[in-house]
Amino acid sequence: MGHHQQALITGPQGPARDIWMLTPSDITSSSEMELQLPPHEGIELSVVDMHTGGEPLRIIVAGYPEVMGDCVLSKRRYAREHLDHLRRVLMHEPRGHYDMYGALIVDSEMPEADLGVLFMHNEGYSTMCGHAVIALGRFAVDYKLVKEPRSPETQVNIHCPCGLVKAFVEYSAGKTGAVRFLSVPAFAFATGGRSSCFYTNCGQVVLYPAGLINDFTPDETVTVEGFGEVTVDISYGGAFYAFVDAQRFGLDVRSKTRDLVDAATAVTKAVKSQVKLHHPVSDDLAFLYGTILTDGRDEFSPEPTANICVFAEAQVDRSPTGSGVTARVALQHHKGLIQLNQTRTFQSGATGSQFTGKAVEETRCGDFRAVVVEVAGRAFYTGVSRFVQEPEDQLAHGFLLK
Ligand SMILES: O=C(O)[C@H]1NCC[C@@H]1O
């Protein structure tokens, strides 16, 4: 990202005024200024903070070392193995918090990509993040990562670890607005009570989608600690999610967050240990990212349907979850509950924020029947920060309170 740094730090409004000595009138004045810290040692990391539907996105714009690797997926591996201390500095306390989310812009090996990105959260690095793509679309236009913005929409090709995601950013009179994106091929992996096949291998159930190998109809159930046998749907929208109706746990998507987290985390643990996932493109994509509890309203309706996503290390998404909406639309389409180009509104159980989603094209992903899903939402700026780690600070490396 070296060549981007100069342009990024000045921001869309142009350079800020540097000040060193504060006066009381500075505090009550509305003039633009850039505060400086007293002389200090240690690394500095600069970020732009945004949120999409309440879910934070901390975009790293300066201070990171080069991320090595010949493709975005191998850069993700490199960051996990060599740069994880920086993720903890920016995501964990005292600079972040348990539910912080981040994006690191990297170069992409794809000629058509405007930028590559690595996603980070409380536990590691995800492969797809829809709320981040919505924020990054705006950011890329505002900070001139794309050369010629166009009205009414500017296309931004974002190379995520799961593949190329095309974002379309509303742009008019120099201002960016709502963003929609086209997902990577998304597919239902296992659907409760529907055609699939499985075999047992070393204690793990291996599930395949309808028609891929044959048409057994097993009970796609997992044994969830504290809840017994639970039927789950599993679907991929750039990352794999398990889906269960919150009612199965005597909850609804607006129940106490702690109860939802406990139920979803128990499902994630069960699926991870009992179901082996498979992705045709790369083994790096074949892991369960989280569990989404829904209101069960999967049949098409113009009314919103709500869900809440618990991902990574029991982290709670404040937004309706872009990659989760993608996976859920793929599941609904696979079950014949939604047709191509029928738009549904998805609402976050946590904040009430909304995305829309629709399947726009049928396609394949390896031997999986898949769809491309369009998801739309809005992101907003919340601030900029320059973080430091003073060498004497015992807690400089970050910590988490659960
Ligand atoms: O919108 C999304 O897809 C993401 N939000 C946090 C968890 C997911 O990565």
Side-chain angles (χ1 to χ4, degrees), residues 159-301:
H159 187 178
C160 304
C162 63
L164 192 73
V165 175
K166 293 179 180 165
F168 300 86
V169 182
E170 279 179 7
Y171 183 77
S172 157
K175 289 193 72 171
T176 48
V179 178
R180 63 187 175 95
F181 70 82
L182 298 177
S183 74
V184 294
F187 55 86
F189 183 82
T191 57
R194 293 212 127 215
S195 309
S196 298
C197 83
F198 77 109
Y199 62 88
T200 302
N201 180 17
C202 305
Q204 286 190 315
V205 181
V206 181
L207 300 166
Y208 289 100
L212 179 65
I213 295 179
N214 60 19
D215 286 329
F216 282 95
T217 307
D219 288 333
E220 285 98 340
T221 56
V222 287
T223 308
V224 180
E225 202 180 330
F227 298 102
E229 301 272 284
V230 176
T231 302
V232 297
D233 289 329
I234 300 172
S235 188
Y236 177 82
F240 282 97
Y241 293 97
F243 291 86
V244 188
D245 187 332
Q247 269 188 43
R248 169 62 186 79
F249 308 103
L251 301 170
D252 72 59
V253 292
R254 293 173 193 87
S255 296
K256 243 171 59 194
T257 308
R258 178 55 48 205
D259 296 337
L260 293 162
V261 168
D262 288 348
T265 304
V267 173
T268 298
K269 198 171 155 207
V271 173
K272 276 185 172 169
S273 63
Q274 295 165 48
V275 178
K276 180 158 172 49
L277 300 177
H278 160 68
H279 193 285
V281 171
S282 168
D283 284 348
D284 285 10
L285 303 174
F287 67 95
L288 190 80
Y289 184 34
T291 292
I292 296 182
L293 301 180
T294 76
D295 60 7
R297 297 167 70 175
D298 282 304
E299 192 95 37
F300 177 75
S301 153

Side-chain angles (χ1 to χ4, degrees), residues 55 101 119 121 126 128-132 181 239 241 289 309 311 315 317-324 355:
E55 180 69 357
Y101 206 98
F119 303 119
H121 46 64
S126 94
M128 174 55 192
C129 180
H131 93 271
F181 70 82
Y241 293 97
Y289 184 34
C309 170
F311 65 100
Q315 188 164 340
D317 196 342
R318 276 72 174 148
S319 84
T321 311
S323 52
F355 291 167

Side-chain angles (χ1 to χ4, degrees), residues 182-189 235-240 279 322-331 333-334 359 361-365 368-374:
L182 298 177
S183 74
V184 294
F187 55 86
F189 183 82
S235 188
Y236 177 82
F240 282 97
H279 193 285
S323 52
V325 164
T326 305
R328 201 169 161 209
V329 169
L331 200 51
H333 182 266
H334 181 83
E361 186 191 330
E362 285 173 347
T363 183
R364 291 186 82 97
C365 181
F368 292 78
R369 275 192 289 275
V371 283
V372 174
V373 177
E374 181 184 294

